[in-house]
Amino acid sequence: MATSSGSSSGMDGAPAPTPDEIDELARRAQAGDRDALEDLLAAVRPRTLNVCRGVLPHLADAEDACQEALLNVAGKIGSWGGRGRFTTWMHVVAVNSARSTYRRMKNQAVASDVLPAERPDPRTTSVIAGTRLDLLEAMETLEREHPQMVEPLLLRDVYGMAYDDIAGLLGLPTGTVKAQIHHGRKLVRPMLRGDG
């Protein structure tokens, strides 16, 4: 696979595929090319892991979520509409997988009564061991009350995506996306404040 000379290298030292090359692999994978699907999953794995680490700071947890995300990408590749970059669509799949992993692990921790008295450092501690009330828990609350606001808010404030990119990905007008994000921020902000 040819890449531009300005591309960064992948984990194995080979040049990382360009966004156009990833989109082409995705189109071929959608058409049933199994080799293209394998190449695509290998190409997006580092990015998927980074997305998952943004939600789950403990590496082992993020790797579990990454694996789930890659399985979801493979199983749902037909739902990528091709309107935007494949990596943008994959980003949402990865965020949702990380959040799903977080919920599952949190439920397991509560079910097994593994809740420590002290609050561990969330950058180095698995959510199984318990973390402070953080953005993910605020997102869980927001999702119950205003589910349409969660995805735009995460994509903008956690992952820094542009409003226009979010609007294109979600098929919404940019003004609607901005309004959802603004309102979501107002609802989430109080949940992130007073944890002594």
Side-chain angles (χ1 to χ4, degrees):
M1 180 183 318
T3 59
S4 66
S5 59
S7 295
S8 60
S9 292
M11 295 282 287
D12 60 0
T18 66
D20 287 339
E21 290 169 336
I22 290 174
D23 288 354
E24 180 55 31
L25 282 173
R27 283 194 267 300
R28 288 178 31 217
Q30 278 185 317
D33 184 334
R34 299 295 296 166
D35 291 334
L37 179 60
E38 291 301 318
D39 290 345
L40 176 66
L41 294 176
V44 299
R45 187 186 187 288
R47 182 184 296 229
T48 304
L49 182 58
N50 284 339
V51 170
C52 293
R53 286 197 77 177
V55 176
L56 299 164
H58 186 67
L59 181 60
D61 299 341
E63 287 174 343
D64 287 347
C66 178
Q67 186 64 31
E68 180 182 323
L70 293 174
L71 289 171
N72 287 334
V73 165
K76 299 177 181 180
I77 194 164
S79 66
W80 173 55
R83 291 187 313 247
R85 288 284 185 197
F86 177 80
T87 52
T88 303
W89 175 84
M90 182 270 325
H91 197 105
V92 173
V93 173
V95 167
N96 289 337
S97 295
R99 291 178 62 228
S100 172
T101 298
Y102 174 82
R103 280 191 294 270
R104 183 176 63 250
M105 294 168 74
K106 180 180 170 190
N107 290 339
Q108 287 171 348
V110 170
S112 64
D113 209 25
V114 180
L115 297 175
E118 294 181 28
R119 293 181 178 195
D121 183 345
R123 293 169 298 170
T124 60
T125 306
S126 166
V127 291
I128 289 176
T131 62
R132 53 182 277 258
L133 178 61
D134 61 0
L135 180 62
L136 283 175
E137 291 185 22
M139 289 297 113
E140 294 294 316
T141 301
L142 185 64
E143 187 169 44
R144 283 191 297 275
E145 298 169 12
H146 304 281
Q148 74 282 4
M149 293 179 193
V150 174
E151 200 165 51
L153 186 60
L154 280 173
L155 292 173
R156 177 68 187 156
D157 288 357
V158 176
Y159 295 102
M161 287 181 69
Y163 292 110
D164 291 338
D165 291 342
I166 297 168
L169 181 67
L170 301 179
L172 296 171
T174 302
T176 300
V177 167
K178 287 181 177 182
Q180 287 177 343
I181 291 168
H182 177 72
H183 189 61
R185 285 174 180 157
K186 286 171 68 174
L187 294 171
V188 167
R189 196 169 291 125
M191 293 182 244
L192 300 176
R193 280 192 194 138
D195 59 286

